[in-house]
Amino acid sequence: MSRDSSVYTEIIVNATPSETRVAIMEDHRLVEFFAERAESARQVGDIYKGRVNAVLPGMQAAFVDIGLEKTAFLHVSDMVAADTDSLDDGPSRRKGERRSRKVPKGVSIENLLKKGQEIMVQVTKEPIGTKGPRVTTQISLPGRYLVLMPNVVHLGISRKIEENAERTRLRALIEEVVPKKFGVIVRTVAMKKKKGQFVSDVKFLEKIWTKIQGAYVRQPCPSLLHKEVGLTTGLIRDLFNEDVDRLIIDSKGEYRQIIAYLNSTSPELKDRIVLYDEEAPIFDAYEIESEIEKTLSPKVWLKRGGYLIIDHAEALVAIDVNTGRYTGDKDQEETIFYTNTEAAKEIARQLRLRDMGGIIVIDFIDMEKESNREKVLETLRDALRRDRAKTRTFRVSELGLVEMTRQRVRPSLIHYFSNMCPHCRGTGKRLSLESLALKVERLLRRVATYCNEKSVSVHLHPELAHFLEESRGGRFDGIRKRYHLEVEVQQDGSAGREDVRIFSRSGQELTDKVLF
């Protein structure tokens, strides 16, 4: 594949002891962002010695204890050898792409694994939400030019290498250098490379595999056998090639490591590495910081005045397209078409930038003309071609909906940057003061009915306590008269806005007794 010289690509790296952040820019616009913190390094590619906790024939899967907080998930499809024709470029597969292959007839999880069995597994997907990491027994060790797979006999070549002559040349070279009982995936960056470079890659990866095997024998179960390289090193290995015009980094130490690595692998790319040493923070200088902050907002404005609303549900991402301030110049259909076309391009960018995956439903504005629907869908698919993650899009429905899927490896940026709000519990809404006051009344009626008390104190957030006492001070009069229950309202600065705690005169908390 020839280099796409029409797109100017830069990689900006901000490296500090506590966090490494990587921004990928295309034509000076932020399109992808990665971050790794020292206390929560990524796990994809890590290799563990684990113990099978449970085998589930109904799911054709097993749960494996690898020493992490959440048990790992192993499906039977991740235990059988892959078909050569289904293999793609090494990094994509290693980063968790589910192989599109059928499990051979007669293969069943209960015939492969037993509870308590010790096995070697590799993480292919980070823990996401309530799910633990996904793992495979098909180990793969990525190098600069190829991916080495122990105990596999297949040879695959990246689909991005399209020239038949080059594929034939690479296949012949690899067959000469690959050791027995190893499989190989030739990576895109291997185009035009010589035999000696593959030999060096194979020797390096063989040494790693030998160390892993030794660790498996020596170390207890569960334990980590091999840690995948850090974000910066993995970036250079997986992404930095002839398609990247520049890589700018603000750390002298990381800069020296990159140069040393390229000296031994791709010296022709060294002049594209730039050490940033200006006073202003590197992400401020390239106007990246403000763009990252925008990824936390559900609303994304389009240039013409339309906007997107991005909503994360538990099982999918919903994206709504709106005309907003854009009213167009001619008829309504044309206005809607232009808005949808602009939205399709921005949606493709936002999917990459926010690293959203799984099922995605896009609600385009309804268009009457079938030809316009087709054009919008083609615009979306064309914009997605630069996405390294695997995507699949379906036709526009009569309601203007497009269903699509995007390969998901790790939590999206919204999960990386934020935690669920303990007050709204992720809904983005909170009860009004009037609704909370009525909740207090209902709880007091239950206390009067089910608890033998004559006097209680209600501990509330100061905002709610003030609302009850000042705005509607007599609202408990009915309860006092009917139930002969004295009610005292107390402000509690440590209480949440929606917390209601009711205590008896003796100090016993009654709330749990009346919460149904």
Side-chain angles (χ1 to χ4, degrees):
M1 177 187 290
S2 58
R3 182 185 173 202
D4 184 2
S5 57
S6 63
V7 177
Y8 185 78
T9 304
E10 293 176 300
I11 299 177
I12 317 296
V13 182
N14 169 222
T16 67
S18 55
E19 184 181 46
T20 298
R21 301 187 298 168
V22 175
I24 298 180
M25 314 281 286
E26 290 179 358
D27 292 334
H28 308 291
R29 289 195 79 200
L30 180 65
V31 295
E32 289 187 64
F33 176 78
F34 309 99
E36 182 176 271
R37 291 171 182 160
E39 73 278 4
S40 56
R42 60 179 181 170
Q43 297 167 354
V44 171
D46 291 354
I47 300 174
Y48 289 86
K49 181 178 183 178
R51 179 177 290 108
V52 178
N53 271 359
V55 178
L56 309 174
M59 294 176 62
Q60 282 300 294
F63 288 103
V64 184
D65 177 15
I66 59 175
L68 301 180
E69 182 180 352
K70 296 176 182 176
T71 307
F73 178 81
L74 173 64
H75 191 261
V76 68
S77 64
D78 292 306
M79 296 189 68
V80 293
D83 180 4
T84 307
D85 294 335
S86 72
L87 294 175
D88 207 331
D89 202 7
S92 297
R93 178 182 168 275
R94 179 182 60 81
K95 288 183 181 177
E97 177 189 347
R98 186 172 181 177
R99 302 180 187 94
S100 56
R101 63 163 184 263
K102 293 181 180 178
V103 177
K105 240 181 185 181
V107 174
S108 182
I109 191 76
E110 60 264 40
N111 296 330
L112 299 174
L113 292 176
K114 303 297 179 187
K115 184 177 179 181
Q117 181 179 341
E118 295 182 358
I119 57 173
M120 184 188 298
V121 293
Q122 184 172 33
V123 177
T124 58
K125 281 187 180 180
E126 302 274 2
I128 298 176
T130 58
K131 298 179 181 178
R134 182 159 182 158
V135 296
T136 177
T137 59
Q138 298 294 307
I139 307 298
S140 59
L141 303 173
R144 174 67 170 163
Y145 303 112
L146 50 83
V147 178
L148 198 65
M149 299 179 294
N151 304 316
V152 176
V153 294
H154 292 308
L155 190 158
I157 297 177
S158 168
R159 291 194 182 105
K160 295 179 183 178
I161 301 176
E162 297 172 348
E163 298 174 12
N164 288 332
E166 179 62 9
R167 293 178 70 88
T168 301
R169 185 189 75 89
L170 288 170
R171 185 175 293 275
L173 277 180
I174 296 303
E175 285 177 347
E176 291 180 26
V177 303
V178 158
K180 291 182 179 180
K181 296 185 179 179
F182 281 91
V184 164
I185 303 173
V186 180
R187 305 180 68 173
T188 308
V189 74
M191 282 192 298
K192 311 300 180 185
K193 300 305 178 192
K194 297 179 181 178
K195 180 179 178 180
Q197 292 166 300
F198 298 130
V199 171
S200 298
D201 233 12
V202 168
K203 286 183 178 179
F204 174 71
L205 296 174
E206 272 192 294
K207 288 180 181 177
I208 293 177
W209 177 238
T210 300
K211 290 180 181 178
I212 292 171
Q213 287 179 302
Y216 183 81
V217 174
R218 294 189 310 270
Q219 293 184 193
C221 184
S223 61
L224 175 66
L225 304 178
H226 172 74
K227 182 70 183 170
E228 174 62 313
V229 297
L231 182 59
T232 306
T233 305
L235 168 81
I236 299 301
R237 184 191 64 198
D238 295 343
L239 300 182
F240 190 64
N241 53 37
E242 289 81 1
D243 291 338
V244 178
D245 293 272
R246 286 201 311 169
L247 185 148
I248 305 101
I249 186 166
D250 62 357
S251 166
K252 288 183 179 179
E254 296 279 2
Y255 171 80
R256 294 191 193 100
Q257 289 183 29
I258 292 172
I259 294 298
Y261 178 78
L262 291 176
N263 273 331
S264 60
T265 59
S266 305
E268 71 278 5
L269 298 177
K270 282 195 307 179
D271 60 351
R272 302 189 188 188
I273 309 295
V274 177
L275 176 63
Y276 180 84
D277 58 0
E278 302 295 328
E279 285 289 330
I282 187 169
F283 272 23
D284 288 348
Y286 287 89
E287 300 179 352
I288 297 171
E289 208 71 70
S290 58
E291 286 296 312
I292 295 172
E293 291 180 6
K294 290 178 185 177
T295 63
L296 297 176
S297 172
K299 179 178 278 191
V300 179
W301 285 101
L302 305 175
K303 289 182 180 179
R304 293 174 183 261
Y307 63 89
L308 311 175
I309 294 293
I310 301 174
D311 189 15
H312 293 258
E314 184 173 353
L316 57 83
V317 175
I319 303 177
D320 185 32
V321 181
N322 299 275
T323 53
R325 297 190 297 260
Y326 180 55
T327 57
D329 299 320
K330 298 181 182 179
D331 57 46
Q332 183 181 16
E333 176 76 6
E334 184 181 76
T335 299
I336 292 172
F337 171 69
Y338 284 143
T339 302
N340 282 341
T341 301
E342 187 180 7
K345 297 175 183 177
E346 184 61 27
I347 286 168
R349 173 176 173 260
Q350 290 295 326
L351 291 177
R352 295 173 65 188
L353 178 56
R354 300 182 185 220
D355 204 6
M356 296 181 290
I359 299 171
I360 297 154
V361 178
I362 306 168
D363 184 10
F364 285 107
I365 307 168
D366 189 32
M367 295 170 286
E368 294 183 2
K369 295 180 180 179
E370 180 65 26
S371 60
N372 284 344
R373 295 182 185 181
E374 292 295 329
K375 288 175 184 176
V376 168
L377 182 60
E378 186 53 40
T379 298
L380 175 64
R381 287 173 172 167
D382 186 61
L384 287 169
R385 288 192 178 98
R386 294 197 62 82
D387 195 340
R388 291 179 298 108
K390 297 296 179 183
T391 60
R392 186 182 180 192
T393 55
F394 300 87
R395 295 179 61 84
V396 183
S397 74
E398 290 298 320
L399 296 175
L401 299 176
V402 170
E403 296 174 8
M404 65 169 290
T405 60
R406 184 175 185 270
Q407 174 191 353
R408 177 162 59 186
V409 179
R410 55 192 159 265
S412 61
L413 280 189
I414 193 73
H415 292 99
Y416 177 82
F417 282 124
S418 61
N419 294 321
M420 182 182 289
C421 171
H423 301 293
C424 73
R425 295 177 177 83
T427 65
K429 305 290 183 182
R430 62 180 189 174
L431 292 175
S432 66
L433 290 173
E434 181 63 32
S435 296
L436 290 172
L438 291 169
K439 177 183 176 181
V440 174
E441 287 186 39
R442 288 191 291 270
L443 289 177
L444 286 172
R445 288 192 184 97
R446 289 176 185 170
V447 166
T449 302
Y450 302 115
C451 303
N452 187 24
E453 299 292 338
K454 298 298 182 184
S455 176
V456 296
S457 62
V458 185
H459 292 223
L460 304 170
H461 184 275
E463 184 183 9
L464 178 56
H466 178 76
F467 176 80
L468 287 170
E469 291 179 328
E470 301 298 328
S471 303
R472 303 280 296 276
R475 69 184 306 147
F476 295 147
D477 287 348
I479 294 175
R480 291 187 178 100
K481 291 177 182 177
R482 179 176 178 181
Y483 297 103
H484 305 287
L485 180 69
E486 289 299 319
V487 179
E488 178 189 10
V489 175
Q490 292 191 11
Q491 295 186 17
D492 184 351
S494 64
R497 186 178 179 275
E498 299 184 11
D499 291 344
V500 179
R501 301 183 70 188
I502 303 174
F503 293 87
S504 67
R505 181 181 296 175
S506 62
Q508 180 188 8
E509 185 165 1
L510 306 173
T511 318
D512 291 342
K513 296 182 179 181
V514 294
L515 285 175
F516 300 153

